[in-house]
Amino acid sequence: MSHSPSRRDFLKRAGSALAVSTIGFPSVLLPNRDRTIGVALCGLGSYAGGQLAPGLQKTEHCELRGIVTGSPEKIPRWQQRYDIPDANVYSYETLPDIADNDDIDVVYIVTPTGVHARDAIKAAKAGKHVWCEKPMAMNEEECQAVIDAADANNVQLTIGYRLQHEPNNRTVMRYAEEETYGAVTEVKAGAGYDGAHPDPDNWRRDAELGGGALYDMGVYSINAARYATGLEPVAVTGRTWSERDDMYSEVPEFAEFTLEFPGGVTATGETSFGKSTNYLDVTYTDGWCRLRPYQSYSGVQGETSDGTQLRPSGRDQQARQMDDDARAIKNGEAPLVPGEEGLADIRIVNAIMESSEKDGARIEL
């Protein structure tokens, strides 16, 4: 059975549902618009420390006020660097206690994918808005449970797809919506890096924690295919494999897939831990657009068939993303990337895995 074929309609429905859910709960969803949104980072790994915490220092509407971690040895360094009081430090077990902390408005989930649902649901039940890093969770059931928890507790939920906030990727989305170069006919996307994870305890090697290239990097290509077409796929075929079995015996090191959209539109994608790929190519009936790179933390740029140059914006992507999401909270508006976006991508991730297990069988969505 086909799910929603139009991404535009899908997002409208998600936004309308959120708007309805906010009615009658202004004290939760509509804080003082002049107030800075207090953020607690849940998970203090490399992305939180290298990108989100520095990005928060560049925002206009947010402030890093708390941390949640399972590594006590990290606490002193974070407290000293970001002036975080003892009262705003939590463990994963004490996360529910954040309900009593008025300094914290948002919990940003940056733990491994396999525990996103666990932590996001705790944060939502504590009455805090939830920003959840991609990929949203392990499967559709976990994604829906997070969405339901946010709805039940009248808090906003948004997924950390920074590229949907990045200007040049947003231009690609606009080209599809306005048919600037005609209707989309084909998309090709690649997101991966030539690297390794030699530490046997690295979560990217652990299937239960959401490791593997498909979850970690493949969602970039999947999400790009969806926003570059403005459509929802109706079927998928895919293949996953590993070449360095000593390191990636539990999870795929590589993945390739094809998405079928309504009207004969197709998208092919690839991802890996063993090859650098960073491109988004969109073909239209009357032209084309290329972003290279399209998913780097900076320097996203490209060109179109008529010579239009899409130059880097220069602004920190994470800061832009978090400011956009903070404004949505302050204004009581639907977030740009609601939880349904994360669920849609995980549905495709799971279908690619199923297709690979069935020797590349076509899986209807």
Side-chain angles (χ1 to χ4, degrees), residues 325-347:
D325 292 338
R327 278 192 293 267
I329 291 172
K330 294 169 82 171
N331 296 332
E333 299 170 348
L336 190 63
V337 190
E340 287 78 6
E341 273 280 289
L343 185 154
D345 285 345
I346 291 302
R347 177 182 294 127

Side-chain angles (χ1 to χ4, degrees), residues 257-275:
F257 60 87
T258 298
L259 303 182
E260 300 174 27
F261 294 92
V265 178
T266 62
T268 56
E270 61 174 327
T271 186
S272 82
F273 286 159
K275 182 177 77 169

Side-chain angles (χ1 to χ4, degrees), residues 128-208:
K128 303 302 178 181
H129 303 291
V130 177
W131 297 347
C132 183
E133 192 48 46
K134 65 82 197 162
M136 184 177 177
M138 293 295 294
N139 52 52
E140 292 182 55
E141 291 75 21
E142 287 188 355
C143 291
Q144 190 61 56
V146 175
I147 292 170
D148 291 345
D151 288 345
N153 292 278
N154 309 302
V155 297
Q156 279 202 11
L157 168 65
T158 186
I159 310 303
Y161 281 118
R162 58 186 167 81
L163 297 181
Q164 290 206 37
H165 301 260
E166 192 279 322
N168 288 331
N169 278 275
R170 290 197 61 76
T171 294
V172 170
M173 297 165 72
R174 177 170 56 81
Y175 287 164
E177 182 175 357
E178 298 178 358
E179 296 193 349
T180 307
Y181 299 97
V184 177
T185 61
E186 184 182 24
V187 174
K188 296 180 179 180
Y193 55 86
D194 184 5
H197 305 99
D199 182 353
D201 293 327
N202 191 305
W203 70 268
R204 289 178 174 84
R205 296 174 52 163
D206 189 326
E208 291 187 0

Side-chain angles (χ1 to χ4, degrees), residues 84-105:
I84 296 172
D86 291 342
N88 291 3
V89 177
Y90 298 87
S91 68
Y92 302 131
E93 291 73 26
T94 63
L95 176 55
D97 296 340
I98 208 168
D100 301 320
N101 192 332
D102 292 338
D103 282 347
I104 308 300
D105 302 293

